[in-house]
Amino acid sequence: AHEHTMAIDSSCAATLATSAIIIWFINFIAIIKSVVPGRFKHEAPPQNLEYTFDAWACIARNTSETVPLSYVIFVAALLAGADPVSYNVLVIAFTVLRALYAVLYLNKIQQYRTLCFV
């Protein structure tokens, strides 16, 4: 009987774990910075509440919408035996672009922010 064992490249696993920690940290900060204490009073909001742009809230929302699927794909590629060099380059690029996306969003630099959106 032929036994197939799959070995996961340790550098890929380390790169993925580091990326996840960095993105988690950025998202954690975004969530903390976007908290509005008045929303937790268990009462109806005032009717004359004006909208104010909150970049931190947008970063937190966007991260929660897009990043989980990205990591599912990264794990699937890792389990499928992706080329370690290509894998690490892509995960690092993703992490750098997501961090840059947050910085550009905070500084309201739309054109370049869109280029970093992954």
Side-chain angles (χ1 to χ4, degrees), residues 8 12 50 68 81 107:
I8 294 175
C12 292
E50 287 188 34
N107 291 291

Side-chain angles (χ1 to χ4, degrees), residues 5-60:
T5 58
M6 181 173 51
I8 294 175
D9 186 278
S10 62
S11 71
C12 292
T15 301
L16 183 60
T18 303
S19 173
I21 290 168
I22 291 168
I23 298 299
W24 179 88
F25 188 70
I26 291 168
N27 195 47
F28 179 77
I29 291 170
I31 290 169
I32 296 300
K33 291 280 203 175
S34 64
V35 167
V36 178
R39 290 184 182 160
F40 301 101
K41 291 182 180 178
H42 298 288
E43 54 189 47
Q47 294 299 319
N48 59 352
L49 191 63
E50 287 188 34
Y51 173 79
T52 56
F53 176 75
D54 183 354
W56 283 112
C58 294
I59 292 167

Side-chain angles (χ1 to χ4, degrees), residues 52-76:
T52 56
F53 176 75
D54 183 354
W56 283 112
C58 294
I59 292 167
R61 187 172 42 255
N62 180 268
T63 301
S64 69
E65 292 169 352
T66 60
V67 170
L69 183 57
S70 299
Y71 282 106
V72 167
I73 293 167
F74 289 147
V75 169

